[in-house]
Amino acid sequence: MDNLVPAPVRVDGNDQGTGFLPDHSTTLLAGPGTGTAERWLRSSLGASLGLPLAPARPGDEATGNTVELRVDPALAPEAYQLTVAPGAGVRITGGDPAGVFWGAQTLRQLLGPEAFRRAPVASGPVRPVPFLEIEDAPRFGWRGMMLDVARHFMRKDDVLRYLDLLAAHKLNVFHFHLTDDQGWRVEIKRHPRLTETASWRARSKYGHRASELWDETPHGGFYTQDDIREIVAYAAARHIRVVPEIDIPGHSQAAISAYPELGNTDVIDTTTLSVWDTWGINPNVLAPTDTTLRFFEGVFEELLELFPADTSPFIHIGGDECLKDQWKVSPAAQARIAELGLSDEDELQSWFIRHFDTWLTARGRRLIGWDEILEGGLAEGAAISSWRGYAGGVAAAEAGHDVVMCPEQQVYLDHRQDGGPDEPMPIGYVRTLEDVYRFEPVPPQLSEEAAAHVIGTQANVWTEVMQNRARVDYQVFPRLAALAEVAWSPLPAPDERDFAGFERRMSEHYARLDALGVDYRPPGGPLPWQRRPGILGRPIEGPPPHV
């Protein structure tokens, strides 16, 4: 019970007997509202243990060989209590269905790493769960990870696998970055060229954009609408909200390559553009025209049908790194600025964002964007993902806007994990497991009222130099486990956190990751097949600034 990740709020144990060891006669008693945890226990835990976990019959709960699930609204949302007592079996009580599900995740950890396999192994039964009481609840309501599938596409099965990995760490938000200059990844039926044309690029830069190497293999792929429905349903069954991102008005060359009228046609010949094959900030941004507005309203109409409000209350519209050089020389853009009485191109982007904030709000959704949407005035009711540092989040929170803290300098998991020469395609600052563990989402200078607007935190995973699942695994783990504890557990101030204790608990967590087939970075450094010698990265030396 001293190896749980993330650490629970309170654990009390005793030494009465050997504990609870499930067997073929163990039953599952599921009360009202616990169906997601019940189904997950049978499909995942039952498979790993080779046990049926049959439905309990009247009186089974008194036998001491039953796992009982129930909801008690007296507990807080997502909170749970887990009790293992002699003669009473296991009882998981959640404040809501999600709380019961998180308690079930804790039970799997208590049963040992073998409980993370897909089928039982011949080495013997799992270890007994000690007699104990756990009280637990999350610090933040938004605990997430952003996965970029636009730069390098990830197959549906791999996305579902990542949802399982998020659930195993009690993370409850999957930010799904679906579009960028390098690819469009979601089927929009009224605009078929978005997947016929914009989902494929002819080649890809190999390594950092300054690298001289190219992968000449065409790259692409997209999710059909039924794929998206399956991903959303799979996430909902694990109490994970999905935040889809359609990046506008920048990062849009893929869309413009399919529909040239979306670009600034009075500045460049947009018919010559193709899906971008390199990395960086692209000058080809959307034109601020009625044609563009109507086009993306159509995109969002289909998107809202695919991502229901109960699973996806937030819709991410990007808004980052929108270079305004084309707008500055575009007669159409300048005419729009004059027509609207705006002062500059920043306010033109703000007008663009506000349009979709109003549009989404009228349909019962909330807009969220990267912190650049603060420039020129933030749309009322909009939330921000503070990525360039803390400053955007501080400004937004003090103005009464909700904030997800995800500063690049702290929790971008594409940044390298070590300063040694063996890190594959080293990008950015060194962000070790300890660095992520000491990350604090709430800046100390915020007032209590403003701090309440920091609704959570997430790690961001940009995949320019991650060509496949194994490379994503290497960059994400084990650091996502540290981020999960930061987001869930009531930790002390960063300098006071017990990283040695976390490392000790991670020694067993690595065995869980092994059982799950995660290609994480070992504590001793990359394995030979995880290295990418000779592939240019962009390492930044020194400690990252707190900006």
Side-chain angles (χ1 to χ4, degrees):
M1 60 184 172
D2 61 348
N3 50 35
L4 298 175
V5 176
V9 173
R10 184 183 70 83
V11 180
D12 289 331
N14 62 62
D15 298 320
Q16 299 180 34
T18 58
F20 174 81
L21 184 62
D23 57 28
H24 281 273
S25 63
T26 301
T27 56
L28 191 57
L29 179 65
T34 66
T36 51
E38 177 191 16
R39 288 187 291 272
W40 179 83
L41 282 167
R42 285 210 179 90
S43 63
S44 297
L45 196 57
S48 66
L49 306 181
L51 303 179
L53 298 179
R57 296 169 295 185
D60 279 358
E61 61 269 30
T63 69
N65 197 18
T66 294
V67 177
E68 181 182 359
L69 310 174
R70 65 179 185 177
V71 172
D72 182 355
L75 298 178
E78 294 195 277
Y80 70 90
Q81 295 175 345
L82 190 155
T83 303
V84 186
V90 176
R91 173 179 289 177
I92 300 173
T93 305
D96 57 7
V100 179
F101 184 77
W102 303 133
Q105 295 290 339
T106 296
L107 175 62
R108 179 164 70 158
Q109 290 197 14
L110 291 167
L111 286 164
E114 300 302 337
F116 288 75
R117 298 189 177 276
R118 295 187 181 182
V121 297
S123 58
V126 295
R127 67 188 180 204
V129 180
F131 297 127
L132 50 70
E133 293 182 357
I134 295 176
E135 291 185 0
D136 206 4
R139 179 186 179 191
F140 291 109
W142 184 301
R143 310 179 302 279
M145 187 188 88
M146 186 228 69
L147 180 62
D148 165 25
V149 296
R151 273 52 178 270
H152 281 99
F153 180 65
M154 184 171 280
R155 295 172 56 227
K156 179 188 68 177
D157 286 351
D158 292 333
V159 173
L160 300 179
R161 171 180 176 266
Y162 256 86
L163 291 171
D164 280 327
L165 291 171
L166 296 186
H169 293 83
K170 298 186 176 70
L171 296 171
N172 69 343
V173 174
F174 178 57
H175 177 169
F176 205 8
H177 184 80
L178 289 164
T179 73
D180 219 296
D181 299 299
Q182 297 85 1
W184 184 284
R185 305 293 179 220
V186 56
E187 178 187 24
I188 303 297
K189 292 186 182 295
R190 72 188 70 186
H191 301 307
R193 294 203 300 273
L194 288 173
T195 45
E196 293 169 356
T197 299
S199 68
W200 289 91
R201 60 178 181 263
R203 62 176 186 170
S204 304
K205 178 67 73 171
Y206 193 40
H208 183 256
R209 62 180 176 272
S211 168
E212 296 181 355
L213 300 177
W214 293 89
D215 181 346
E216 298 291 345
T217 305
H219 180 85
F222 65 92
Y223 308 103
T224 68
Q225 294 202 350
D226 278 345
D227 290 338
I228 294 292
R229 292 185 182 97
E230 181 180 356
I231 289 168
V232 169
Y234 198 84
R238 285 147 184 79
H239 298 278
I240 295 172
R241 286 174 286 159
V242 182
V243 180
E245 180 180 353
I246 302 295
D247 206 339
I248 54 175
H251 287 287
S252 296
Q253 181 164 318
I256 297 169
S257 73
Y259 293 92
E261 65 271 22
L262 298 175
N264 294 283
T265 58
D266 55 351
V267 177
I268 63 165
D269 181 1
T270 56
T271 64
T272 65
L273 296 178
S274 60
V275 178
W276 212 25
D277 56 12
T278 189
W279 323 124
I281 303 177
N282 190 304
N284 296 304
V285 302
L286 297 174
T289 63
D290 290 343
T291 295
T292 299
L293 297 181
R294 300 294 88 76
F295 183 95
F296 279 94
E297 286 171 0
V299 168
F300 284 118
E301 281 180 4
E302 293 194 26
L303 204 75
L304 296 190
E305 293 178 359
L306 299 173
F307 295 90
D310 56 349
T311 302
S312 302
F314 285 90
I315 303 296
H316 207 293
I317 52 76
D320 62 314
E321 297 179 330
C322 179
L323 297 180
K324 302 178 178 65
D325 295 342
Q326 291 182 355
W327 288 356
K328 290 177 181 178
V329 296
S330 163
Q334 293 303 310
R336 179 68 93 178
I337 289 173
E339 170 197 343
L340 298 170
L342 306 176
S343 61
D344 57 21
E345 291 76 23
D346 283 344
E347 287 195 3
L348 183 61
Q349 177 172 343
S350 178
W351 164 81
F352 193 97
I353 299 300
R354 286 175 183 270
H355 174 87
F356 285 101
D357 177 66
T358 301
W359 192 93
L360 288 168
T361 299
R363 289 156 180 81
R365 307 301 180 95
R366 291 189 64 188
L367 179 146
I368 185 169
W370 303 110
D371 54 58
E372 283 95 329
I373 69 173
L374 288 166
E375 298 168 1
L378 183 59
E380 185 177 355
I384 75 158
S385 306
S386 188
W387 78 273
R388 290 181 295 179
Y390 288 100
V394 168
E398 289 178 343
H401 295 277
D402 288 342
V403 175
V404 177
M405 282 292 184
C406 49
E408 174 188 14
Q409 303 85 356
Q410 314 299 325
V411 289
Y412 267 35
L413 299 188
D414 45 308
H415 284 216
R416 57 194 172 133
Q417 302 182 65
D418 188 85
D422 291 333
E423 290 305 303
M425 302 187 205
I427 300 293
Y429 296 103
V430 172
R431 292 286 84 198
T432 66
L433 182 66
E434 181 172 1
D435 290 330
V436 175
Y437 189 69
R438 297 192 188 280
F439 164 63
E440 173 50 50
V442 180
Q445 68 265 36
L446 285 180
S447 67
E448 184 176 350
E449 181 181 3
H453 284 289
V454 179
I455 59 176
T457 185
Q458 67 182 38
N460 293 338
V461 183
W462 300 102
T463 62
E464 286 94 335
V465 297
M466 301 179 215
Q467 299 86 353
N468 52 48
R469 189 180 86 177
R471 281 286 292 121
V472 174
D473 278 4
Y474 179 89
Q475 294 298 136
V476 170
F477 289 100
R479 293 182 293 179
L480 191 67
L483 187 279
E485 185 146 313
V486 168
W488 179 279
S489 305
L491 299 177
D495 291 344
E496 300 171 6
R497 292 176 187 173
D498 181 12
F499 179 68
F502 177 74
E503 273 193 310
R504 187 168 53 252
R505 286 182 284 122
M506 281 298 297
S507 64
E508 174 148 333
H509 200 64
Y510 287 119
R512 297 174 190 138
L513 297 178
D514 286 332
L516 288 168
V518 177
D519 291 310
Y520 59 87
R521 183 189 188 276
L527 299 169
W529 56 86
Q530 293 175 319
R531 300 167 187 163
R532 297 291 186 276
I535 310 301
L536 186 68
R538 186 182 64 93
I540 304 175
E541 302 303 331
H546 285 259
V547 294

